[in-house]
Amino acid sequence: MSQKIRTKGAQALAEALKALKTMASTTILNLQGCEIGDDGAQTLAEALKTNLTLITLNLGSNEIGENGALALAEALKINLTLTTLYLQNNSIGDNGDMALSEALKTNSTLTTLNLQSNSIRVNGGVALAEALKTNSILTTLNLESNLIGENGAMALSEALKTNSTLTTLNLYNNSIGENGGVALAEALKTNSTLTTLNLQNNSIGDNGAQSLAEALKTNPTLTTLNLYNNSIGENGGVALAEALKTNSTLTTLNLESNSIGDNGAQSLAEALKTNTTLTTLDLWGNSIGDSGAQSLAEALKSNSTLNTLDLWRNSIGENGGVALAEALKINSTLTTLNLHDNLIGDNGSVALAEALKTNSNLTTVNLQDNLIGENGGVALAEALKTNSTLTTLNLYNNSIGDNGGHALAETLKTNSTLTTLVLGYNSIRDNGGEALAEALKTNSTLTTLNLYNNSIEDNGGDALAEALKANSTLTTLDLGYNSIGDNGAQSLAEALKTNSTLTILGLYNNSIGDNGAQSLAEALKTNSTLTTLNLYNNSIGDNGAQSLAEALKTNSTLTTLSLGRNSIWIKGLLAFSEAFKVNLTLTTLDLERNKTMGNIALVLLKSVESKTTPATLNLGYKSIEDDEALALCEALKTNSSLITLDLQSNTIDDNGAQALAEALKINSTLTTLYMQNNSIGSNGAQALAEALKTNSTLTTLDFQNNSAGDNGAQALSEALKTNATLTTLDLWHNSIGSNGALALAEALMINLTLTTLYLQNNAIGDNGAMALSEALKINTTLTTLDLWGNSIGDSGAQSLAEALKSNSTLTTLDLWRNSIGDNGALALAELLKTNSTLTTLSLGYNSIGPKGAQGLYWVSQTTSCHISK
């Protein structure tokens, strides 16, 4: 089905074609997210057949299907100039991909092709592989987040054995499994052009890693290998280490989120003693303890090439920290060390501090979440007095306290290299804050200071404000989750009148009321640098809101203002409505969890209409009631800029929903509507369904936790048969039974756009599951189906398993909290032996016994699907 060009897409396309026809110098055209659809792609394709100047075309996120891809493919057979084509986040599928592959066999200019997230399966992967056997131009191919599976990977591997131009291949999240990994390894033994290979999230396991390791021993070109989250254990780690002893080209190895353990780390450490090319090693989340860290430290003493080492979340204690510190006294190449979320404590940090006194190459150290106390903080501060290379220090969520804050402040008075200091969650309080403020008066290098959640009150705020009057380098100051009141805010406001560098100020979760907001508003009238002001969860009422709105009439730099969870009512919102009529820079206004009353929504939305930038409006969490929703709907009929509207957790009932539905029949810009947690029944759902029959812009409708019932679900199902834009529908907890599920199943047999359907916590039972199963045999677009808590038993599970034997698009199936027993589990286990697309299957909290569990266990050893039980 051809996707029609929407208003936004038509405008963008008209401008694009004008440029292509009249501007001989147009070389780059970016239409990402312009919703041009198949019709637009076909029109552009015709233009490309004769255009002689365009070299880069970005059509990402444009709802292009196979027809649009077919047209573009035909153009590529003739076009002689295009070198880069971005088609990420569309829906070209296998047919569109095969057409493009055919074009690649003759095209002589395209060097970069991005097909990320395009529902490409095995057949598409095979087609691209065939094209690569003869194509001699393409250097970069991105297939991230498709589902080419092991067969697609094996086909690409064969192509790589003869292809001599491709340098970058991205297969992230493609379910290639162990066999796919083994096949690619074979290709690497002979391929001499590929430099970057991304296999992240592919479940290649130890066997795949061992094969790749063997290939690395002879491969002469690969420089970057990403094996993040691939179920690689100790054996795979040991094999890769052996390869590094002889490999002389690899510079970056990412093993994040695997399980190589201490033994794997020790093997890699041995390899680092002789390897002379690796510069980046990422071992985040690999169960490496002190022993592994000590081995790596020993290696760093002699290694002279590694500059980045990531050991985040590895249970490294003080012994490991001390060992790494000793190594840093000798090592002369490491510039970045990430020890986030370990257990080095004071002793480990004191040792690292000693190392920093003599180390002259480290620029970034991340010690977040490491149980560091006052002694550790003081020691690090002392080290920074002489260290002249460190630019970023992250001490978030430790316990350095007042004394640690004081010590670091003293350091900042003389240190001339540190640019980023993160001290959130450290209990430094007013005394520490005041000391840091004093340092900022003379410090001339720090640009980012994070003091989140440090029990800083007005005195600390006052001190920091005084510092901002003199400081000319700080651009970001985060004071969220402190106890700054009106006085502190007033002081900061005075500082903003003269400060000319601060761009981001976070004052969320403090105790600022109207007086503080009024002062900040006064400052915004003259301040010309601040772009983001976060005042979420304070005590600002209408008076403060009115003042801020008044300031927006003249301010020309602020783009984001967060006022969620304050006490703004009708007068405040009316004031913002007036401000929006003249303000042209604010793009995001957050009013979530306020309480507005009166007929003000109409004014607000009509004022936003005059803005030239897309807008997001958050009125969730008790911000409006049904009468305000009615006014809001009237405004939506004429508004042409709002794309996201959040109305969750209000008290909107059927009347409000019906009014919104009427607006959706006319509105042509809104793409996302959050309606969850209201009081909408079947009548409201039926009205929204009627609107969906003609609406051509809405892509996401979140209707969870209302009361649509079977009647509402049936009405929405009828709409889905003709609607061509909705991709996500959330009907969680809507009292939908088997009849509603039957209707939705009927719709899924016809609908060609829905990719995500949430039906959790309804009561569709086995009959509903069986109906949906029948639909899955035919449906070719749904990728996520959530049936959590639906009283589905063995019969329903067996039907779903049977359907998935032929379905080739569903990647996620959630059956958590049903009544599935051994028979259902065994049926699903049998399915996974042949299904190559399902990547996630959730079966927790069912009634699966030992027999079913054993069946699932054995199949989990061979499938790439992640099974949660």
Side-chain angles (χ1 to χ4, degrees), residues 170-219:
N170 185 351
L171 294 177
Y172 167 32
N173 196 27
N174 262 283
S175 303
I176 71 170
E178 177 184 308
N179 291 337
V182 170
L184 286 165
E186 277 304 304
L188 287 178
K189 290 179 180 177
T190 54
N191 179 282
S192 59
T193 53
L194 204 67
T195 59
T196 300
L197 179 59
N198 186 348
L199 296 178
Q200 178 175 339
N201 199 30
N202 268 294
S203 302
I204 68 168
D206 277 343
N207 287 342
Q210 287 167 328
S211 297
L212 286 166
E214 199 59 34
L216 287 176
K217 291 178 181 178
T218 54
N219 179 281

Side-chain angles (χ1 to χ4, degrees), residues 274-484:
T274 54
N275 179 283
T276 59
T277 53
L278 202 68
T279 59
T280 300
L281 179 58
D282 190 340
L283 297 175
W284 185 99
N286 263 284
S287 304
I288 298 168
D290 279 342
S291 298
Q294 288 166 329
S295 297
L296 288 165
E298 200 58 35
L300 287 176
K301 291 178 181 178
S302 55
N303 179 282
S304 60
T305 52
L306 202 70
N307 56 47
T308 300
L309 179 58
D310 191 338
L311 294 172
W312 183 344
R313 192 170 295 165
N314 268 295
S315 304
I316 298 170
E318 65 177 55
N319 290 338
V322 169
L324 288 165
E326 281 303 308
L328 290 176
K329 292 178 181 178
I330 303 168
N331 179 281
S332 60
T333 54
L334 202 69
T335 58
T336 300
L337 177 60
N338 188 352
L339 289 172
H340 179 183
D341 199 10
N342 281 287
L343 306 161
I344 70 168
D346 271 346
N347 289 342
S349 58
V350 168
L352 286 168
E354 278 304 306
L356 287 175
K357 290 179 181 177
T358 54
N359 180 285
S360 60
N361 43 279
L362 211 60
T363 60
T364 301
V365 176
N366 186 347
L367 296 175
Q368 179 174 336
D369 296 302
N370 261 288
L371 306 178
I372 298 169
E374 178 182 304
N375 291 339
V378 171
L380 287 165
E382 196 60 32
L384 290 178
K385 289 180 180 177
T386 53
N387 179 283
S388 61
T389 54
L390 202 70
T391 59
T392 300
L393 177 60
N394 186 348
L395 291 173
Y396 184 93
N397 197 26
N398 284 287
S399 303
I400 69 169
D402 277 355
N403 289 339
H406 270 281
L408 285 164
E410 280 304 306
T411 294
L412 288 177
K413 291 178 181 177
T414 55
N415 179 283
S416 60
T417 53
L418 204 68
T419 60
T420 300
L421 179 59
V422 180
L423 295 175
Y425 258 115
N426 266 289
S427 304
I428 68 170
R429 305 184 186 280
D430 272 349
N431 288 339
E434 288 166 1
L436 286 165
E438 198 58 33
L440 287 177
K441 292 178 181 177
T442 54
N443 179 280
S444 60
T445 54
L446 203 69
T447 60
T448 299
L449 178 59
N450 183 331
L451 295 174
Y452 171 94
N453 201 357
N454 266 290
S455 302
I456 296 173
E457 299 180 0
D458 280 342
N459 289 340
D462 291 343
L464 287 163
E466 281 303 307
L468 287 177
K469 292 178 182 177
N471 180 281
S472 60
T473 54
L474 203 69
T475 60
T476 300
L477 177 59
D478 189 343
L479 290 171
Y481 272 93
N482 282 291
S483 301
I484 297 171

Side-chain angles (χ1 to χ4, degrees), residues 526-543:
T526 54
N527 179 282
S528 60
T529 53
L530 204 68
T531 60
T532 300
L533 178 58
N534 190 341
L535 292 169
Y536 182 90
N537 198 21
N538 281 283
S539 303
I540 299 167
D542 276 347
N543 290 338

